[in-house]
Amino acid sequence: MVVTKQELKKRGREKFERLKQYAQQGNGFPADVFAEMTELVSRYDGPPPVIGPYSPRTEGLRVPSIRSFGFRKTGGRPVPLIHAKMFLLGHLWWHDENGSPVGVADVTGFTPKRLWLGSTNGTESSRLGLEFGIWLDNPDLLADAEQSLVKVMRSSEGIDPDDDLFEPQ
């Protein structure tokens, strides 16, 4: 789940701490199931390393369950929001043979099955309004939604970044 970067005012600190706790409790999602994410590395320990043929693989790297996107609101300035409500459900699979010319390898993947699009944001106050949602299973739409969601994940940051800048990790 990728959410807009949270404000860190006194008033919102308790809500933010609950969100942070949920982010830390989740198992995350294996990064190597999407080809677009196989070259990602953590930037928490300094600048990103140079990637080359002998770089370590991302096997075992997991994208945390909750990430943030964009700029934190400061000084009343408007900031871009992640406003799309999309849930892509699918089959996370694994097998131990991929027919690779270099031998047998463990392979993981994700096959999208259904896409939910809607207006509700899942908050308590959203239950008071008229909301809309629809399940879709068109293969072309699923593929496009997957690409869009992976781009957002690639551009996301940890839930508790140290500064108000936008620096994807």
Side-chain angles (χ1 to χ4, degrees):
M1 178 184 309
V2 180
V3 298
T4 300
K5 193 178 285 188
Q6 302 295 299
E7 292 185 67
L8 296 179
K9 296 188 289 188
K10 279 185 182 179
R11 190 181 71 174
R13 178 56 78 172
E14 182 181 322
K15 184 173 108 176
F16 174 74
E17 290 301 326
R18 284 195 314 263
L19 180 66
K20 185 176 165 184
Q21 182 181 13
Y22 287 123
Q24 292 169 342
Q25 289 174 351
N27 291 330
F29 196 83
D32 57 353
V33 301
F34 300 115
E36 299 91 338
M37 297 182 76
T38 56
E39 298 299 325
L40 294 181
V41 293
S42 173
R43 290 181 53 191
Y44 287 117
D45 300 324
V50 175
I51 303 296
Y54 301 103
S55 299
R57 298 203 39 178
T58 57
E59 292 172 3
L61 179 64
R62 297 185 79 80
V63 177
S65 300
I66 303 175
R67 305 274 294 157
S68 68
F69 182 87
F71 300 90
R72 184 174 288 125
K73 212 182 245 190
T74 57
R77 291 181 303 168
V79 296
L81 299 175
I82 290 284
H83 199 67
K85 285 82 170 188
M86 298 172 59
F87 296 96
L88 185 62
L89 301 180
H91 178 77
L92 183 60
W93 51 267
W94 168 87
H95 67 83
D96 59 0
E97 297 179 22
N98 72 344
S100 139
V102 295
V104 176
D106 290 345
V107 179
T108 56
F110 177 79
T111 304
K113 297 291 185 183
R114 296 182 84 192
L115 174 67
W116 185 87
L117 297 173
S119 61
T120 185
N121 58 11
T123 63
E124 192 172 323
S125 63
S126 72
R127 297 178 192 149
L128 302 174
L130 178 60
E131 302 291 345
F132 169 81
I134 186 170
W135 284 105
L136 302 164
D137 59 8
N138 176 286
D140 292 333
L141 184 58
L142 292 176
D144 290 345
E146 180 179 320
Q147 283 183 338
S148 177
L149 291 171
V150 168
K151 283 180 184 177
V152 170
M153 286 191 314
R154 279 185 62 97
S155 300
S156 68
E157 304 177 79
I159 196 71
D160 193 9
D162 293 334
D163 54 41
D164 296 332
L165 300 175
F166 177 50
E167 294 182 5
Q169 301 167 324

